[in-house]
């Protein structure tokens, strides 16, 4: 029922059903559903509570199943979405960059071919490079080449996934809108075609 609600876009129902299961996978899925609903569908004034709930559920999923990469991925996802609501400076000051990176590294250590983790780590690098410029590497270890490598790895693993192509295009624009516009457009067109 939780998966059916998720697949049909009934994300709040999916979150409630996943949470009710009380299992690591259920809690991870609940966190993912809340993060998606909060980012794409929720009103601005309701986003933070949804992301806070997602962070709590994902954290519990990691406690229950520390060897499940999806739990770590959804913990990073929830933190990332919450960090976007408090602003770059506050998020960096509160250590979200490091904590998100830790969760992504843990997910990839458990499953080196986890497409979502490669996309998320690529976006992590891209967003920090875009925000911190030349200080990104010094302060956080963020690097444009690493972003591109992780986007490419995600495409290599799932070339026919529209979301992978879409996210890669968005990442290219985040890194350099002018230089990457044509390449991003090709990825967007491929995503649409898929």
């Amino acid at each position: 029922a939780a998966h059916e609600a998720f697949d049909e876009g009934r994300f709040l129902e999916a979150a409630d059903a996943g949470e009710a299961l009380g299992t690591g996978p259920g809690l991870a899925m609940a966190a993912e559903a809340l993060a998606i609903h909060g980012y794409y569908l929720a009103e601005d004034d309701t986003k933070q509570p949804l992301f806070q709930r997602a962070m709590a559920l994902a954290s519990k999923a990691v406690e229950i199943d520390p060897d499940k990469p999806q739990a770590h991925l959804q913990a990073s996802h929830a933190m990332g979405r919450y960090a976007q609501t408090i602003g770059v400076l506050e998020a960096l000051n509160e250590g979200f960059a490091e904590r998100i990176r830790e969760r992504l590294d843990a997910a990839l250590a458990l499953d080196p071919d986890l497409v979502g983790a490669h996309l998320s780590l690529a976006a992590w690098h891209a967003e920090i490079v875009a925000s911190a410029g030349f200080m990104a590497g010094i302060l956080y270890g963020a690097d444009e080449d690493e972003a591109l490598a992780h986007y490419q790895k995600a495409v290599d693993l799932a070339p026919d996934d529209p979301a992978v192509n879409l996210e890669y295009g968005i990442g290219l624009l985040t890194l350099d809108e002018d230089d990457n516009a044509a390449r991003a457009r090709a990825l967007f067109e491929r995503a649409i075609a898929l």
Side-chain angles (χ1 to χ4, degrees), residues 10 34 39 42 97:
R10 294 180 283 120
L34 289 169
Y39 186 71

Side-chain angles (χ1 to χ4, degrees), residues 81-100:
R81 292 303 186 203
Y82 177 77
Q84 289 173 328
T85 69
I86 62 174
V88 173
L89 190 56
E90 187 175 341
L92 294 175
N93 285 338
E94 291 186 23
F96 278 98
E98 295 87 351
R99 294 188 346 229
I100 291 167

Side-chain angles (χ1 to χ4, degrees), residues 94-174:
E94 291 186 23
F96 278 98
E98 295 87 351
R99 294 188 346 229
I100 291 167
R101 177 69 190 260
E102 285 173 15
R103 292 296 107 229
L104 291 171
D105 287 345
L108 286 170
L110 292 164
D111 182 356
D113 292 334
L114 187 60
V115 173
H118 283 288
L119 282 177
S120 294
L121 188 52
W124 180 90
H125 281 282
E127 289 174 19
I128 292 177
V129 167
S131 297
F134 74 93
M135 294 297 289
I138 297 166
L139 296 174
Y140 304 103
D143 179 79
E144 182 173 343
D145 290 339
E146 282 291 312
L148 295 172
H150 283 286
Y151 280 126
Q152 189 58 53
K153 178 71 172 176
V155 168
D156 291 345
L157 291 168
D160 296 330
D161 185 327
V164 170
N165 288 273
L166 174 67
E167 292 298 328
Y168 193 173
I170 291 169
L172 288 173
L173 295 179
T174 299

